[in-house]
Amino acid sequence: MKPRTLRIGYRYRARRLAPEYDAIVIGSGMGGLTTAALLSEFGFRVCVLEQHYTAGGYTHSYERGGYEWDVGVHYIGDVGTRTRTRKMFDFLSEGRLKWAPMDAEYDRFYVGDKVFNAVAGKQAFRDNLVRQFPGEEQAIDRYLELLSEMGAAMSAYAMDKVLKPWQRTLAAPFMSWRKPKNLFRNTYTVLSELTDNQDLIATICGQWGDMGLPPKQSAFMVHAMIARHYLYGGFYPVGGSWRIAESIIPRIQKAGGEVFTYAGVQKILVEEGKVTGVEMADGHRIECACVISSAGVENTFERLLPKEAVTATGYERQLGTVHPSMAHLGVYVGLKHTAEELDLPKTNFWIYPHNDYDAAVDEFLADADAPFPVVYISFPSAKDPDYEKRHPGTATVEIVAPAPYAWFEQWTDTTWGKRGDDYEAFKAELGERLMQYLYDKLPQLKGKVDYYEVSTPQSTNWFSGYRHGELYGLDHTAQRLRQDWLGPRTRIPGLWLTGQDVLTCGVTGAMMAGMLTTMAIVGVRRMAPLLKRIYSN
Ligand SMILES: Cc1cc2nc3c(=O)[nH]c(=O)nc-3n(C[C@H](O)[C@H](O)[C@H](O)COP(=O)(O)OP(=O)(O)OC[C@H]3O[C@@H](n4cnc5c(N)ncnc54)[C@H](O)[C@@H]3O)c2cc1C
């Protein structure tokens, strides 16, 4: 099939650059675009440099054979009413971005041969859990209380990242986020203090794939963040996830900035300990004293910065405290019938072999033929009220499952589309395995699939610039979340960080990181009136 691609952004050529920029952003994911758009509001002319052929990072979509798929967005929470999250999206997109609600049952968990689910709305979520687990009312209510406690703690945790080190030391005694003892505790430990019902714990943790760590490995803070995020249901960006970047870019352009694609940055230039600009893959140098990297911490410190600068500032040692998150497989399915005809739900499916998620991961890592520890199935064309207009008479499905990067390491230095027969055969085998999960849950799709293709961790590296096919940047362990150096500020003057490694993964996590990075650059005093304007609307 002939590929056709959704491309947004302006193709990079050195001669297309403006003579001067106030800031350079490396990477056009949600973190980079948010930072660029907010800085534009302060009059900054921002140059966003994206190595891929289209802007958006993990929010980009692609088309092939008359179908369209998203690569890193299946649902966003907290945008159904005028929440702060929604207001920030509205501001960045100048109201262009619209949201479509999923079904009230937004997540369904197949746990062995049992089925549980999550429904939208705090009270409905609670009542639904109580219905599924009669006798566990007290544990469920206490769990919801813990989620509320975490809310305030997470805001303080985020704001702490904007402070300069001396300010952080001064503020430490007042920081309430240091108080909740559960913040960095292991999710399973916290939950097992509430109940010993393993099915209830499994249902509460049924979204663990949203941050990439099963409950015995993840920090409760991240579990709570995800659970709170989706408490009022899931929403899909009308028109597809690529609309996120497309609707934000005009704000950057209005201030004289631009988002360039095919614009791989090769080096961050450092002279006398300070950032002076970037060197592009074509060797062209762009001078700028303010460089913001949203390319991920590993890329920034291990690939882009000169080694001497990393060693001299102590980052080399600190990099050992963080690790990439799990890698994944994607299956992109096209069907020659509409979502309605096929009865596809606006509900995500999470399929687990049994209720011990950590054990399932271990079993899979020990034996590649063991069941996938989680298989996630999403129905984007069903969720998008606009899909039919763009691709009449068709429907799409996306499947995501974990896969160790080691399985694909041997193809590290190969080129996309030219990785050889062994690679294709391996992909085909994995694709067939994952398609069985789909047919098992929706047998009506048998014989209706027109096309499907499989992405691997090497595809993630190729298109998104990562190095270990990581789904969510750095792994969300308690150890990672405790790292003070993971924040917008760096010890290299002129270099700032943003994106999912600064705060947490997720489109909203990256967006909030963009907000924090802007605040760190312009200062809290200048940022406060802008936030007031955004949030009071
Ligand atoms: C399969 C999958 C499903 C997901 N589902 C959801 C979901 O349903 N809801 C949700 O909220 N989140 C979801 N996420 C997570 C979410 O998409 C990410 O956490 C978030 O988009 C990350 O944004 P970011 O800006 O930090 O990074 P990215 O989006 O990764 O952006 C970084 C950008 O930097 C570019 N780059 C890297 N190196 C260079 C370089 N040297 N020069 C120039 N550019 C460079 C990359 O090409 C990339 O575009 C999902 C992720 C995946 C992978």
Side-chain angles (χ1 to χ4, degrees):
M1 279 193 205
K2 203 161 175 260
R4 196 162 84 79
T5 46
L6 286 173
R7 289 171 196 229
I8 27 175
Y10 188 34
R11 189 173 183 139
Y12 162 79
R13 295 273 182 270
R15 61 184 155 78
R16 291 180 178 165
L17 294 164
E20 232 177 287
Y21 290 101
D22 301 306
I24 287 174
V25 173
I26 307 172
S28 68
M30 194 60 198
L33 288 182
T34 303
T35 314
L38 291 176
L39 285 176
S40 301
E41 200 55 22
F42 291 95
F44 279 54
R45 177 184 257 214
V46 188
C47 174
V48 181
L49 300 167
E50 169 56 52
Q51 57 93 31
H52 195 8
Y53 62 63
T54 186
Y58 272 148
T59 68
H60 84 267
S61 313
Y62 74 101
E63 280 183 287
R64 210 184 313 282
Y67 300 104
E68 179 188 317
W69 297 280
D70 308 312
V71 301
V73 179
H74 299 117
Y75 62 148
I76 309 274
D78 213 20
V79 289
T81 54
R82 299 211 35 81
T83 58
R84 287 189 160 202
T85 305
R86 170 66 182 271
K87 287 177 183 179
M88 185 57 85
F89 275 116
D90 284 352
F91 176 80
L92 295 172
S93 71
E94 296 172 297
R96 285 180 282 267
L97 194 57
K98 306 284 180 217
W99 299 97
M102 293 170 62
D103 287 340
E105 181 201 22
Y106 56 94
D107 273 330
R108 187 180 304 164
F109 313 115
Y110 295 92
V111 183
D113 53 6
K114 298 180 186 165
V115 185
F116 305 104
N117 63 11
V119 300
K122 192 173 178 182
Q123 189 63 40
F125 176 89
R126 179 227 175 248
D127 294 346
N128 180 55
L129 268 189
V130 172
R131 230 183 341 266
Q132 294 175 89
F133 299 99
E136 292 291 342
E137 206 167 336
Q138 212 181 332
I140 292 164
D141 286 335
R142 180 65 193 128
Y143 168 67
L144 286 167
E145 275 168 29
L146 287 184
L147 290 191
S148 301
E149 281 171 24
M150 287 294 121
M154 280 184 282
S155 305
Y157 173 83
M159 282 310 295
D160 197 51
K161 293 201 169 269
V162 178
L163 302 178
K164 294 177 180 159
W166 65 266
Q167 292 171 321
R168 195 179 292 146
T169 311
L170 268 184
F174 310 105
M175 279 295 183
S176 59
W177 68 268
R178 289 180 194 274
K179 289 184 191 149
K181 67 173 180 148
N182 291 326
L183 205 63
F184 298 122
R185 289 178 80 214
N186 167 291
T187 304
Y188 183 82
T189 308
V190 174
L191 297 178
S192 57
E193 286 167 4
L194 306 180
T195 178
D196 55 10
N197 185 323
Q198 300 306 306
D199 282 341
L200 173 58
I201 293 179
T203 302
I204 286 174
C205 296
Q207 299 162 337
W208 75 258
D210 282 334
M211 45 68 178
L213 278 180
K216 286 179 187 156
Q217 293 182 48
S218 66
F220 186 67
M221 172 184 147
V222 181
H223 164 85
M225 182 202 76
I226 302 276
R228 286 171 55 88
H229 183 64
Y230 292 116
L231 204 50
Y232 292 89
F235 296 81
Y236 184 82
V238 175
S241 72
W242 63 280
R243 291 278 300 133
I244 297 176
E246 194 210 38
S247 64
I248 297 174
I249 292 173
R251 199 175 253 294
I252 300 165
Q253 290 167 329
K254 258 200 297 195
E258 190 50 272
V259 177
F260 291 103
T261 53
Y262 294 99
V265 172
Q266 184 164 270
K267 281 184 201 159
I268 296 172
L269 303 170
V270 178
E271 282 171 34
E272 294 174 9
K274 291 187 185 142
V275 162
T276 57
V278 297
E279 184 178 295
M280 305 299 290
D282 66 1
H284 183 80
R285 290 182 163 212
I286 311 174
E287 284 178 22
C288 191
C290 177
V291 172
I292 300 139
S293 178
S294 76
V297 157
E298 284 208 356
N299 273 334
T300 306
F301 291 101
E302 291 182 1
R303 263 185 179 173
L304 298 175
L305 279 165
K307 197 167 185 328
E308 319 79 75
V310 178
T311 312
T313 46
Y315 284 113
E316 198 176 26
R317 189 176 37 81
Q318 284 173 318
L319 286 170
T321 60
V322 291
H323 305 282
S325 54
M326 69 182 191
H328 76 287
L329 299 167
V331 185
Y332 304 90
V333 186
L335 300 114
K336 284 264 182 252
H337 295 269
T338 65
E340 206 178 351
E341 285 162 0
L342 295 167
D343 203 17
L344 300 182
K346 295 180 201 164
T347 304
N348 305 314
F349 290 0
W350 299 85
I351 304 165
Y352 298 103
H354 50 72
N355 67 8
D356 187 341
Y357 299 156
D358 287 80
V361 171
D362 293 344
E363 285 151 19
F364 179 67
L365 292 178
D367 173 9
D369 293 327
F372 281 94
V374 51
V375 175
Y376 172 85
I377 306 183
S378 158
F379 307 95
S381 63
K383 293 184 232 182
D384 181 3
D386 194 59
Y387 190 87
E388 260 290 294
K389 284 187 217 137
R390 303 196 306 283
H391 305 279
T394 70
T396 53
V397 175
E398 290 158 3
I399 308 175
V400 182
Y405 183 65
W407 289 2
F408 300 90
E409 206 146 17
Q410 59 176 300
W411 292 288
T412 295
D413 295 320
T414 55
T415 302
W416 179 77
K418 296 178 188 162
R419 296 204 166 104
D421 293 344
D422 288 0
Y423 177 76
E424 293 304 327
F426 190 34
K427 265 187 11 170
E429 181 195 320
L430 292 165
E432 273 167 36
R433 262 178 83 181
L434 288 170
M435 287 298 284
Q436 290 314 313
Y437 285 82
L438 176 65
Y439 294 137
D440 180 47
K441 298 301 171 228
L442 297 176
Q444 73 268 30
L445 301 190
K446 275 187 195 153
K448 303 270 171 51
V449 170
D450 172 49
Y451 176 77
Y452 74 85
E453 63 181 33
V454 179
S455 75
T456 75
Q458 290 300 357
S459 325
T460 309
N461 286 357
W462 183 263
F463 291 112
S464 302
Y466 287 98
R467 297 169 66 198
H468 307 97
E470 49 267 51
L471 252 170
Y472 296 129
L474 300 174
D475 227 359
H476 289 71
T477 56
Q479 163 149 304
R480 169 241 161 119
L481 296 167
R482 281 204 176 95
Q483 303 301 314
D484 284 347
W485 60 278
L486 291 177
R489 296 173 195 284
T490 74
R491 293 191 283 271
I492 303 172
L495 177 66
W496 307 85
L497 302 177
T498 197
Q500 61 188 349
D501 288 351
V502 160
L503 200 55
T504 62
C505 69
V507 174
T508 305
M511 180 172 80
M512 294 323 286
M515 191 274 280
L516 295 179
T517 304
T518 309
M519 191 184 281
I521 294 172
V522 302
V524 177
R525 240 183 256 161
R526 287 176 76 198
M527 189 72 180
L530 175 63
L531 289 181
K532 195 169 170 204
R533 184 147 60 87
I534 296 171
Y535 294 143
S536 62
N537 260 330

